[in-house]
């Protein structure tokens, strides 16, 4: 077993630009390699347009790299299918920059946290999910009473 929980080796991504005969490709990420051990945090910083979001989207599996490979917990993301792919998506999540695109302001904190618990079958029944939501809120030093807030 590798000492790294996440590895990206020579990852690249480019996009087509323009229309017709004059089409070209623009490089968003070019040969990026990273290694993250369990318990470590990774921050990706840089100027606007440098490829941070594209790299992050590839790391969580929302986009595929044109070149290179991404390995999470000793499993190549590109080879993940079916149950293996769902397991990777359950364990690796992305918090998007714009909270209004990520968090529905019409849902309570409890409803927002409950959705992935239900989707991934991590707690069966509403009562069990609500108890788990309370535990999760306490884990980040918030009162379980916060689950009714918007």
């Amino acid at each position: 077993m590798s000492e790294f929980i996440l590895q990206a080796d020579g990852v690249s991504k480019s996009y087509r630009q323009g229309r017709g005969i004059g089409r070209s490709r623009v490089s968003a990420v070019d040969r990026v390699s990273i290694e993250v051990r369990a318990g470590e945090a990774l921050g990706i910083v840089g100027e606007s347009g440098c490829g941070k979001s594209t790299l992050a989207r590839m790391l969580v599996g929302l986009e595929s790299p044109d070149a290179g490979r991404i390995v999470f917990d000793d499993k190549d993301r590109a080879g993940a299918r079916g149950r293996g792919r769902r397991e990777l998506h359950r364990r690796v999540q992305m918090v998007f920059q714009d909270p209004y695109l990520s968090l529905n302001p019409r849902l309570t904190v409890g409803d927002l946290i409950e959705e992935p618990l239900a989707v991934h079958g991590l707690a069966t029944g509403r009562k069990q999910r609500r108890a788990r939501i309370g535990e999760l809120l306490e884990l980040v030093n918030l009162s379980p009473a916060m689950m009714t807030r918007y």
Side-chain angles (χ1 to χ4, degrees):
M1 186 166 142
S2 172
E3 67 179 298
F4 301 105
I5 189 98
L6 175 67
Q7 293 175 281
D9 184 29
V11 175
S12 297
K13 181 73 175 179
S14 63
Y15 297 98
R16 288 191 187 121
Q17 185 178 34
R19 295 183 175 193
I21 296 173
R23 289 178 78 161
S24 62
R25 295 192 75 81
V26 60
S27 178
V29 175
D30 189 26
R31 297 183 305 247
V32 172
S33 296
I34 59 172
E35 297 174 327
V36 181
R37 290 177 176 82
E40 287 184 334
L42 171 67
I44 302 170
V45 297
E47 63 188 54
S48 180
C50 73
K52 301 179 300 289
S53 294
T54 300
L55 176 60
R57 292 175 62 83
M58 287 189 294
L59 293 175
V60 301
L62 295 175
E63 293 196 32
S64 299
D66 296 335
R69 65 184 222 141
I70 298 170
V71 177
F72 176 75
D73 202 17
D74 290 328
K75 296 176 189 92
D76 192 330
R77 286 199 70 97
R81 299 282 183 264
R83 181 177 290 156
R85 185 171 178 85
R86 282 190 301 278
E87 175 65 17
L88 285 171
H89 284 289
R90 186 177 69 79
R91 295 190 58 212
V92 179
Q93 299 289 314
M94 182 168 166
V95 178
F96 292 92
Q97 293 173 342
D98 186 347
Y100 294 105
L101 293 176
S102 304
L103 303 173
N104 185 339
R106 293 186 176 127
L107 297 178
T108 65
V109 169
D111 292 336
L112 290 166
I113 297 171
E114 184 176 16
E115 185 176 354
L117 294 176
V119 167
H120 294 292
L122 298 176
T124 56
R126 187 161 174 85
K127 189 174 181 179
Q128 186 182 12
R129 285 194 298 268
R130 287 298 181 178
R132 181 66 177 140
I133 293 165
E135 292 170 8
L136 292 170
L137 288 171
E138 286 177 338
L139 192 64
V140 294
N141 295 320
L142 292 174
S143 166
M146 298 294 283
M147 76 173 74
T148 60
R149 297 216 180 153
Y150 289 85

